[in-house]
């Protein structure tokens, strides 16, 4: 495993296990499988409705909670009482702290919610706090008017949506980049079939998914791919035994379409869409 060090000194793995749209026994089994395979970071959220299942998966894995980096998020529908939402998440997960606590969306009363996250951080309920889906101007504003700067911004990032401009601001402010949907989501077949990706997969005897995940991690982003297939769970973790050259990184950088695959905050239906998260 490779790591990045957050702005408060906490170390975060560069690969974690995503749980979006997993639930019940399927979620618990997948989390347990991922942890046994070697993952040490698991990502969940209040809005996913699966925190209890994630907690059960951790218990089934047999790995001590202290060895894991656990991430959850407060949904914007809970921002008026974010402190209570944090308490509910901890209870569902079966832990008295998370390693990273995020605001899930830049909607509603995010400033009041952020101050509750600051309290949770001060009380030891979170080892680090951050945000998700924040655009650069929203991120800069939050930093300017609050006491604790976000340690992480989790945003959709993949081969077609590389977030180069966003990343420049995150780097400037010391905010770590976490990539959700690093392999796309739904509309992803074309990404896997890119000739440059296929050629590199053949060269390094890796899969297209491994090439794309390695690309993002070499760029310094933490990735949280999701799968319920044991072979894919293992495959997505086995990416640190090869490195892409500078020329190969540049070739993949040229495939950036600068366009999210999942949703755009400026779209009228985006808020309605995000409620399903």
């Amino acid at each position: 495993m490779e790591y990045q060090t957050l702005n408060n000194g906490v170390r975060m793995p560069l690969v974690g296990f995503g749980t979006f749209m997993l639930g019940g026994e399927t979620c618990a089994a997948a989390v347990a499988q991922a942890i046994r395979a070697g993952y040490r970071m698991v990502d969940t959220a209040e809005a996913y409705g699966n925190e209890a299942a994630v907690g059960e998966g951790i218990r089934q894995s047999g790995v001590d909670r202290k060895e894991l980096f656990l991430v959850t998020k407060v949904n914007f529908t809970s921002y008026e009482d974010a402190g209570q939402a944090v308490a509910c998440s901890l209870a569902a997960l079966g832990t008295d702290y998370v390693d990273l606590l995020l605001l899930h969306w830049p909607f509603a009363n995010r400033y009041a919610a952020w101050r509750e996250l600051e309290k949770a951080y001060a009380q030891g309920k979170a080892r680090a706090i951050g945000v998700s889906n924040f655009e650069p101007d929203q991120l800069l504003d939050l930093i300017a008017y609050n006491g604790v700067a976000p340690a992480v911004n989790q945003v959709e990032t993949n081969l077609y949506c590389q977030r180069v401009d966003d990343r420049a601001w995150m780097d400037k402010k010391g905010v770590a980049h976490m990539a959700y949907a690093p392999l796309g989501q739904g509309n992803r077949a074309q990404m896997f079939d890119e000739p440059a990706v296929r050629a590199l997969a053949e060269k390094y005897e890796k899969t297209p998914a491994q090439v794309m995940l390695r690309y993002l991690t070499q760029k310094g982003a933490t990735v949280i791919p999701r799968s319920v297939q044991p072979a894919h769970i293992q495959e997505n973790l086995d990416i640190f035994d090869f490195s892409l050259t500078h020329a190969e990184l540049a070739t993949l950088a040229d495939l950036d379409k600068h366009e999210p695959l999942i949703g755009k905050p400026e779209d009228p239906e985006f808020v309605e869409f995000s409620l399903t998260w």
Side-chain angles (χ1 to χ4, degrees):
M1 181 58 64
E2 295 180 4
Y3 295 81
Q4 63 175 312
T5 300
L6 304 181
N7 58 20
N8 65 350
V10 170
R11 289 208 319 160
M12 180 173 70
L14 277 182
V15 177
F17 184 70
T19 65
F20 175 54
M21 294 191 74
L22 298 182
E25 293 180 3
T26 299
C27 179
V31 168
Q33 170 69 30
I35 294 172
R36 293 189 193 114
Y39 288 79
R40 288 299 178 263
M41 179 165 66
V42 180
D43 176 84
T44 182
E46 173 195 356
Y48 298 172
N50 64 7
E51 289 171 316
V54 168
E56 177 59 27
I58 290 171
R59 288 185 288 276
Q60 289 180 11
S61 75
V63 172
D64 194 304
R65 159 72 184 94
K66 294 179 181 178
E67 295 185 24
L68 304 176
F69 193 100
L70 185 55
V71 185
T72 195
K73 314 174 196 72
V74 178
N75 197 29
F76 70 93
T77 55
S78 296
Y79 283 2
E80 293 298 337
D81 197 358
Q84 180 60 31
V86 172
C88 290
S89 289
L90 294 177
L93 289 163
T95 183
D96 57 2
Y97 75 98
V98 291
D99 298 275
L100 179 61
L101 180 62
L102 307 177
L103 295 184
H104 204 156
W105 296 99
F107 306 143
N109 194 349
R110 59 184 182 267
Y111 298 97
W114 182 253
R115 289 173 188 130
E116 289 299 318
L117 263 61
E118 289 181 327
K119 290 178 185 177
Y121 178 54
Q123 294 166 354
K125 296 177 182 177
R127 295 178 64 223
I129 56 176
V131 297
S132 182
N133 297 297
F134 273 54
E135 297 296 320
D137 59 337
Q138 297 163 333
L139 183 64
L140 295 174
D141 191 65
L142 192 72
I143 292 170
Y145 293 102
N146 289 281
V148 179
V152 168
N153 187 17
Q154 184 186 113
V155 290
E156 178 191 348
T157 312
N158 46 60
L159 199 61
Y160 287 166
C161 181
Q162 298 187 26
R163 303 282 185 177
V164 175
D165 293 339
D166 300 48
R167 178 62 182 275
W169 282 107
M170 285 189 268
D171 287 349
K172 184 174 182 178
K173 294 298 181 179
V175 179
H177 182 183
M178 183 182 286
Y180 73 76
L183 300 175
Q185 189 165 289
N187 180 22
R188 69 180 202 168
Q190 185 180 354
M191 191 185 302
F192 279 59
D193 289 335
E194 286 284 354
V197 172
R198 289 285 181 182
L200 290 171
E202 182 176 354
K203 173 184 175 180
Y204 290 107
E205 298 184 336
K206 291 290 184 177
T207 66
Q210 289 172 317
V211 169
M212 290 187 284
L213 292 174
R214 189 59 180 137
Y215 172 71
L216 294 175
T217 58
Q218 280 190 238
K219 289 287 192 175
T222 286
V223 295
I224 47 171
R226 180 205 67 190
S227 179
V228 296
Q229 301 297 326
H232 290 163
I233 288 173
Q234 187 66 60
E235 171 188 313
N236 291 340
L237 187 65
D238 294 338
I239 62 170
F240 295 116
D241 57 352
F242 76 107
S243 294
L244 303 171
T245 67
H246 290 298
E248 290 164 351
L249 292 172
T251 296
L252 295 182
D254 288 341
L255 298 178
D256 191 1
K257 298 180 183 296
H258 310 280
E259 190 79 7
L261 298 175
I262 295 173
K264 309 175 189 67
E266 65 270 19
D267 288 348
E269 67 273 18
F270 189 70
V271 174
E272 180 180 353
F273 167 83
S274 68
L275 283 168
T276 66
W277 290 42

